[in-house]
Structures are given as structure tokens and as C-alpha cells.
Amino acid sequence: MWSLMQAQVAMVVALSFLVSGAWCGPPKVPPGKNITATYGKDWLDAKATWYGKPTGAGPDDNGGGCGYKDVNKPPFNSMGACGNIPIFKDGLGCGSCFEIKCDKPVECSGKPVVVHITDMNYEPIAAYHFDLAGTAFGAMAKKGEEEKLRKAGIIDMQFRRVKCKFGSKVSFHLEKGCGPNYLALLVKYVDGDGDIVPVDIKEKGSDTYEPLKHSWGAIWRKDSDKPLKGPLTVRLTTEGGTKTVYDDVIPANWKANTAYTAK
């Protein structure tokens, strides 16, 4: 048994770690530069981990830090990834797409697969870090070697940004709590850059677009001092500068917790 003196020393050491903010895991690595909407053939190095069920979509509720609620279904198909700070970008990276691959360990196939940014992670283990859904992590393996690769834990991988090809119409989900004076839009399935920088709306009978504020993840909101007049036209601008207008996509009689699909 410890003496009283030993116990006191241990407590002082433990408190010093807490006060100093000491990190007990692998050495902290500063985040890399933000990944922007540029595309090329070069690959960047990163670390890969996985979470959730081995063949799942990641979060238990099939959601995540972007606000999506169906990452287990098409077009995400459980191929989601938690990007670290320069990839997730406080939610402005939500929806962007990346090719990833690994060459080691031997279970890696070396063939690229596409993942979508659907969640966030802040683990400081590498300049770039993808915490992947179990399904996405296993997709980097040779056929039949998925489970062995998942047992490897943290692995080295390579990635590059690619254009998104969701094959679905853009969806605008009005979040719970929306009403005549409050609008919160979850935007998803945007082909091309995938991620949205500004979102603007135009009310019925108006010639002026009004900007929405970035709330969190892929959700944009507007608090209005007067009831908004629908139908509403939505203008999206991707990180690369592509603007797309969706005329009258939000009907006059919109309802909260409802998704409206682009025409």
C-alpha cells in the first residue's frame, strides 16, 4: 500500500498535468493549410483512423457534425469522413469530396475510393487526418481484407480533393423550429465543389437577394424581423465560386423538418 507521502506526491503530479494541459497521447501535430477547391493529380499525406461500427456509417445516429441525418443511405452510402481542422473548416468543408488510398499495411489495395466530409475531428495526430466511417476505412483494403485493415488502427494514407458526383438533386432541408420569421436550411448533394460558402435567398416579389448566416455544419439561417414571403428562391455559391439559382424551391407554405428538392 502507498504511504501518505506517496499518495500526496502522486496527487501533485496529477494536478500539475491537469493545470499544464499536458497531452498524454501521441505528440501533437499542428494542422496543415486549409484544403481549398483546387484539383490536380498530386496526392497529400495524411493519417487515417476509423470509428463507429466496422461496417457502419460512423455516428450511431447516422448524422454528424455537418447536420446530415442519413449518411448511411445513398448518395453518401456510409462513405463518410470526419475531417480535421483544414478539411472540415468549421463546417464550410461539409459535403466536399476526396479520393483516399493507402499502400501500407499489406491489406491496403492502393486503389482510390471517394469519401464525403460529413463530420469533424480535432485529434492533433497529423497535419491532415481523416477519421473514417468503418465502411469507408475498409474500402481502402483488398477484397476480403477489410477487417484485417481495420485492426491496424492508425495508418498512413494519401488523399486529394475531387469533384463531387452525387447523382442526386440538391436538397434543402428546413430544420426543426423554422417559422415565418426564422429559416434554417441544411443544404446537401451539391455536385462539383460539394461545399457551400455563401447562401442567399430572394423572397417573392423581390429583386434583392438577402444573405443567410452560417449557423453550423452545412446549415445556414436567417432571423427576420418580418415574416418571409414565399416561395423563396435560393442562390448557392460553392467554394470555387460557382453560383447556382434554384427558383421558388422553398414553397410559400413551407413546413419545418421538411426537405425540398431542387427542380
Side-chain angles (χ1 to χ4, degrees), residues 163-168 170 189-195 238 242 246:
K163 295 278 188 179
C164 295
K165 299 177 181 178
F166 287 107
S168 298
V170 176
Y189 312 148
V190 179
D191 281 344
D193 294 329
D195 50 4
T238 67
T242 301
Y246 301 90

Side-chain angles (χ1 to χ4, degrees), residues 63-70 94 118 173 175 186 188 216-219:
C66 288
Y68 307 138
K69 303 169 182 66
D70 49 8
C94 287
T118 58
H173 186 274
E175 299 294 279
L186 169 67
K188 55 185 179 179
W216 62 276
I219 298 174

Side-chain angles (χ1 to χ4, degrees), residues 29 49 196 215 243 263:
V29 179
T49 53
I196 301 300
S215 184
K243 295 181 183 293
K263 299 175 183 178

Side-chain angles (χ1 to χ4, degrees), residues 1-260:
M1 295 180 64
W2 279 13
S3 67
L4 178 59
M5 179 65 72
Q6 288 174 314
Q8 289 174 333
V9 171
M11 183 175 291
V12 170
V13 172
L15 286 173
S16 68
F17 269 86
L18 290 174
V19 171
S20 65
W23 172 253
C24 299
K28 288 185 178 181
V29 179
K33 295 181 179 179
N34 278 4
I35 300 299
T36 60
T38 54
Y39 307 91
K41 297 181 179 180
D42 295 336
W43 294 86
L44 295 175
D45 293 325
K47 295 289 187 183
T49 53
W50 67 278
Y51 72 114
K53 297 178 180 178
T55 56
D60 291 336
D61 62 354
N62 297 313
C66 288
Y68 307 138
K69 303 169 182 66
D70 49 8
V71 296
N72 60 319
K73 299 177 181 179
F76 292 126
N77 294 313
S78 299
M79 294 294 287
C82 305
N84 69 333
I85 292 172
I87 298 169
F88 184 74
K89 295 179 286 193
D90 287 329
L92 295 179
C94 287
S96 54
C97 301
F98 292 85
E99 279 187 335
I100 62 171
K101 65 177 183 175
C102 65
D103 299 315
K104 296 178 181 180
V106 294
E107 291 82 12
C108 289
S109 70
K111 298 178 181 178
V113 296
V114 176
V115 296
H116 315 284
I117 299 304
T118 58
D119 209 342
M120 59 183 175
N121 86 75
Y122 294 106
E123 294 295 329
I125 65 171
Y128 300 109
H129 173 208
F130 288 76
D131 194 18
L132 301 164
T135 297
F137 193 93
M140 293 189 291
K142 298 173 183 175
K143 189 174 181 180
E145 301 292 317
E146 295 86 354
E147 187 58 30
K148 287 184 179 180
L149 182 60
R150 281 189 284 266
K151 289 180 179 178
I154 302 175
I155 65 171
D156 293 322
M157 58 160 276
Q158 297 78 45
F159 75 98
R160 62 186 178 190
R161 189 161 175 178
V162 294
K163 295 278 188 179
C164 295
K165 299 177 181 178
F166 287 107
S168 298
K169 293 183 178 179
V170 176
S171 174
F172 301 90
H173 186 274
L174 271 66
E175 299 294 279
K176 293 180 180 179
C178 286
N181 295 73
Y182 175 68
L183 190 72
L185 285 180
L186 169 67
V187 184
K188 55 185 179 179
Y189 312 148
V190 179
D191 281 344
D193 294 329
D195 50 4
I196 301 300
V197 182
V199 178
D200 308 294
I201 61 169
K202 185 170 65 175
E203 297 181 66
K204 179 183 179 181
S206 175
D207 294 324
T208 304
Y209 280 98
E210 303 172 44
L212 272 61
K213 293 181 179 179
H214 183 229
S215 184
W216 62 276
I219 298 174
W220 297 76
R221 76 173 193 276
K222 181 172 181 60
D223 300 280
S224 178
D225 56 2
K226 59 181 178 62
L228 296 169
K229 296 180 181 179
L232 302 176
T233 292
V234 180
R235 182 175 66 188
L236 302 180
T237 305
T238 67
E239 185 180 12
T242 301
K243 295 181 183 293
T244 309
V245 174
Y246 301 90
D247 291 318
D248 300 338
V249 68
I250 308 297
N253 59 340
W254 73 73
K255 296 180 181 179
N257 199 28
T258 302
Y260 298 98

